[in-house]
Amino acid sequence: MHILLTGGCGFIGSNFVRLVLRERSDYSLTNLDVLTYSGNLENLADIEGDPRYRFVKGDINDRDLVNRLVAECDAVVHMAAESHVDRSIMDGRPFVLTNVLGTQTLLDAVRALRGKVKFLHVSTDEVYGDLPLDQPQVKFTETTPYAPSSPYSASKAASDLLVRAYQHTFGIPAIITNCSNNFGPYQFPEKVIPLFVTNLIEGKKVPLYGDGRNVRDWLHVEDHCEALLTVLEKADFTSGGTYNIGGNNERSNLDLTHAILKIMGKDESFIEPVTDRLGHDRRYAIDARKIEKELGWRPTRSAWPGALEQTVRWYVEHPDWWQRVKSGAYRDYYEQQYVKRR
Ligand code: NAD
Ligand code: TYD
């Protein structure tokens, strides 16, 4: 199988590349990534020379390039996105351009190949909006109506609906996955876990939004990548549909913060309460029974405190990686590795 992966230089994408090359000796990958601020080639520096892997720098809105690359593959795994809620609150436009129009560009390319190429659309549980804190038994299922709250989740919801429409109207073989919050190595330190851990290593405080009672369902990134591979290999793309992916691991931000402080041997004085995020979703929780029942997937690497401790340790042991990201120096890598070689 030859996979065209979009956004493979990001957090989940780079973990997916590594997992596929490690666990499927007969698979190859092309990674199409335009290298926005969150795309970091250093995430995959160790596998650059692998003959089963190819990096192409380009935009998913570049129709000619996309048509060519899609025609060469058996399956598209589409992850390229603007992915951070706080950035979408500052400026929603890049989110519409990449998440909505970029997805449509890929869908047109897949449609032209008349059923030859599978399309796996990697989406988020945030499309469902949020859940109340006082009804812990209520979770998102695959039939929960879409009610996105942020420009980020609205753009992802729009892209999901386009996928559904292309499948319904043109019969493209497509599946959508809606996943909960990921954690693990190589996550850009604007998201809460790597931001808090790296701030503490630097002796800084951690900015906790609002009352800290908001709840997220945390899944280890490798569990997510395993789930995506399972869907790619076992799901019925002809019928289409959706799978929710979650960790069954709900934590309030306050509990998460205390857990990180404990692992790092810091006290509560390192918490800095700050003004809440606008429109801050209260709670996300995934009912992942469908993927477990139909495809036999369940998380195996997400259990706390072990998985959180392991992730904290990864950031403690890789200061070069996150210091270069925080300082912006990681951007020089592309220049040195590619541009100056030409
Ligand atoms: P990320 O921000 O770390 O990576 C995104 C990647 O996409 C980057 O490498 C970036 O350069 C690339 N990209 C952005 N715009 C592009 C464009 N126009 N053309 C080509 N490449 C482009 O994001 P992530 O956390 O790895 O998330 C990957 C996907 O998974 C996203 O679609 C996101 O919505 C979804 N998702 C993420 C989470 C999470 O917790 N991180 C949870 C559920 C779903
Ligand atoms: P984040 O990692 O941005 O993911 P998402 O908004 O997609 O769930 O945030 C996770 C939770 O942590 C969310 O409830 C917002 C909160 N948060 C903070 O309290 N402080 C921060 O500095 C950040 C980035 C997030």
Side-chain angles (χ1 to χ4, degrees):
M1 162 130 56
H2 183 68
I3 297 172
L4 172 63
L5 173 67
T6 69
C9 295
F11 164 48
I12 299 172
S14 57
N15 279 284
F16 185 76
V17 170
R18 216 170 255 110
L19 180 91
V20 169
L21 292 179
R22 189 176 69 223
E23 295 194 0
R24 297 291 184 275
S25 57
D26 51 343
Y27 284 19
S28 56
L29 284 139
T30 295
N31 170 14
L32 172 63
D33 197 305
V34 77
L35 299 180
T36 64
Y37 77 93
S38 75
N40 183 354
L41 273 176
E42 291 180 0
N43 294 356
L44 290 168
D46 54 322
I47 57 113
E48 247 158 34
D50 192 314
R52 292 186 291 133
Y53 171 75
R54 172 173 64 145
F55 168 65
V56 176
K57 184 176 187 299
D59 196 312
I60 55 167
N61 274 307
D62 179 340
R63 280 185 176 270
D64 292 340
L65 177 63
V66 163
N67 288 342
R68 186 158 53 78
L69 295 179
V70 171
E72 290 169 7
C73 75
D74 303 302
V76 178
V77 178
H78 174 37
M79 297 191 192
E82 290 292 334
S83 67
H84 191 40
V85 173
D86 291 322
R87 284 180 188 260
S88 81
I89 293 168
M90 285 190 279
D91 181 10
R93 193 165 172 78
F95 289 74
V96 174
L97 292 177
T98 286
N99 300 1
V100 186
L101 286 175
T103 300
Q104 195 250 342
T105 307
L106 286 158
L107 288 169
D108 276 345
V110 171
R111 177 192 162 197
L113 291 161
R114 298 175 184 277
K116 284 200 208 109
V117 170
K118 293 190 211 176
F119 190 76
L120 173 51
H121 182 63
V122 180
S123 193
T124 165
D125 61 355
E126 302 189 25
V127 298
Y128 299 121
D130 70 350
L131 295 165
L133 288 180
D134 58 0
Q135 293 170 46
Q137 75 287 0
V138 182
K139 297 183 176 195
F140 299 134
T141 72
E142 286 79 0
T143 55
T144 301
Y146 276 26
S149 325
S150 70
Y152 162 66
S153 53
S155 69
K156 291 296 289 187
S159 70
D160 291 12
L161 296 180
L162 277 172
V163 176
R164 288 188 190 187
Y166 271 65
Q167 150 121 114
H168 180 82
T169 306
F170 306 116
I172 68 158
I175 298 272
I176 299 166
T177 54
N178 296 97
C179 187
S180 61
N181 286 62
N182 285 213
F183 67 101
Y186 300 105
Q187 187 167 31
F188 198 87
E190 64 185 354
K191 304 278 166 62
V192 71
I193 291 180
L195 178 76
F196 280 17
V197 173
T198 58
N199 271 13
L200 291 169
I201 298 171
E202 293 178 310
K204 295 184 193 155
K205 294 190 176 190
V206 298
L208 186 62
Y209 294 166
D211 60 11
R213 291 178 62 225
N214 306 63
V215 170
R216 297 293 183 264
D217 171 13
W218 290 100
L219 179 75
H220 193 274
V221 65
E222 287 186 8
D223 273 334
H224 185 192
C225 293
E226 286 277 8
L228 295 175
L229 203 49
T230 304
V231 171
L232 193 62
E233 293 172 341
K234 293 192 181 166
D236 178 3
F237 278 72
T238 321
S239 315
T242 292
Y243 289 97
N244 280 354
I245 302 171
N248 220 1
N249 188 27
E250 284 180 58
R251 311 282 163 174
S252 73
N253 292 338
L254 206 50
D255 287 347
L256 167 70
T257 307
H258 282 133
I260 293 174
L261 289 171
K262 187 168 173 216
I263 293 168
M264 300 197 60
K266 305 276 187 190
D267 63 34
E268 287 206 3
S269 67
F270 280 89
I271 299 178
E272 183 179 18
V274 296
T275 312
D276 208 355
R277 170 186 281 172
L278 292 177
H280 196 174
D281 281 339
R282 261 325 210 179
R283 171 174 167 252
Y284 303 141
I286 284 275
D287 178 341
R289 278 178 297 179
K290 183 181 174 202
I291 187 171
E292 180 170 351
K293 196 159 157 257
E294 291 186 9
L295 308 182
W297 173 88
R298 74 164 70 99
T300 57
R301 298 165 170 139
S302 298
W304 284 18
L308 183 64
E309 283 163 8
Q310 197 189 36
T311 296
V312 170
R313 204 178 322 126
W314 189 87
Y315 290 94
V316 170
E317 288 171 359
H318 293 81
D320 290 354
W321 182 85
W322 60 261
Q323 280 165 0
R324 286 173 62 73
V325 173
K326 278 194 158 179
S327 73
Y330 72 105
R331 289 169 176 273
D332 302 341
Y333 182 85
Y334 179 77
E335 283 283 311
Q336 280 159 17
Q337 187 69 11
Y338 293 91
V339 180
K340 288 186 182 153
R341 282 184 175 189
R342 284 191 188 128

